[in-house]
Amino acid sequence: SVDIRILSVEIERVHSLERMIFKSVRSTEEKLNYVRNNQPVLLVAFKENKPVGFKLGYVIPGTQTLFSWLGGVHSLHRRSGIGQHLLERQEALARDMGLDKIYFTSYDRYKPMIRLGEKNGYELIKAETDAGEMKYWYQKNLCSGVLG
């Protein structure tokens, strides 16, 4: 079974998660410091006490929106529901924080991420070319009913 933990956003921790999933580091120290100052939410999925996936988001300043910025599941553990668990936990935390939207961006090469979003009610709100590849913005409203 998978255990999802909320961990603090430490630069080395995020870089080691990135290396595990992407085989390289994508985030800069500057960007991570920015994330740390904007209500970050780092969820890490563990299987047998080893990290197998993560999702890192932060609140867009001046909004009630969480940007689900970075994340993934280790290639050996994909298609086993870990991404779904992370997504559900992130949505629950965003609701607990009083936020009303979550969005993420993705590219054509990350089809499983796009499918996961669509399956969970995220709507395509924007698409444009970025360095020759299509980039997509997906958003979900967390408010349910009149009371929100």
Side-chain angles (χ1 to χ4, degrees), residues 80-147:
S80 65
I82 294 169
Q84 180 68 35
H85 284 304
L86 285 164
L87 179 143
E88 287 170 6
R89 186 72 185 278
Q90 186 180 58
E91 286 183 8
L93 281 168
R95 280 191 182 94
D96 291 347
M97 291 163 76
L99 303 176
D100 55 23
K101 287 188 185 81
I102 295 186
Y103 87 94
F104 71 89
T105 59
S106 195
Y107 292 88
D108 276 333
R109 67 192 130 125
Y110 301 122
K111 290 274 195 273
M113 181 67 226
I114 291 171
R115 281 196 300 271
L116 182 67
E118 289 175 341
K119 187 180 96 176
N120 283 278
Y122 286 75
E123 291 176 51
L124 181 63
I125 55 166
K126 183 176 163 187
E128 66 182 35
T129 309
D130 177 21
E133 190 179 7
M134 282 306 288
K135 182 176 185 178
Y136 305 98
W137 280 256
Y138 280 88
Q139 182 175 289
K140 181 174 185 174
N141 292 324
L142 298 174
C143 298
S144 50
V146 201
L147 298 174

Side-chain angles (χ1 to χ4, degrees), residues 25-128:
V25 168
R26 298 175 177 190
S27 61
T28 61
E29 196 166 329
E30 184 185 20
K31 177 69 178 190
L32 287 173
N33 282 327
Y34 175 80
V35 168
R36 282 158 72 162
N37 290 324
N38 287 288
Q39 296 174 264
V41 176
L42 174 60
L43 296 172
V44 182
F46 287 85
K47 208 166 182 178
E48 291 160 9
N49 246 5
K50 289 190 176 68
V52 293
F54 78 103
K55 240 183 195 320
L56 174 57
Y58 62 91
V59 177
I60 304 292
T63 72
Q64 293 297 300
T65 301
L66 185 79
F67 177 31
S68 182
W69 173 55
L70 192 60
V73 174
H74 189 284
S75 55
L76 297 176
H77 296 277
R78 288 184 189 142
R79 306 196 59 78
S80 65
I82 294 169
Q84 180 68 35
H85 284 304
L86 285 164
L87 179 143
E88 287 170 6
R89 186 72 185 278
Q90 186 180 58
E91 286 183 8
L93 281 168
R95 280 191 182 94
D96 291 347
M97 291 163 76
L99 303 176
D100 55 23
K101 287 188 185 81
I102 295 186
Y103 87 94
F104 71 89
T105 59
S106 195
Y107 292 88
D108 276 333
R109 67 192 130 125
Y110 301 122
K111 290 274 195 273
M113 181 67 226
I114 291 171
R115 281 196 300 271
L116 182 67
E118 289 175 341
K119 187 180 96 176
N120 283 278
Y122 286 75
E123 291 176 51
L124 181 63
I125 55 166
K126 183 176 163 187
E128 66 182 35

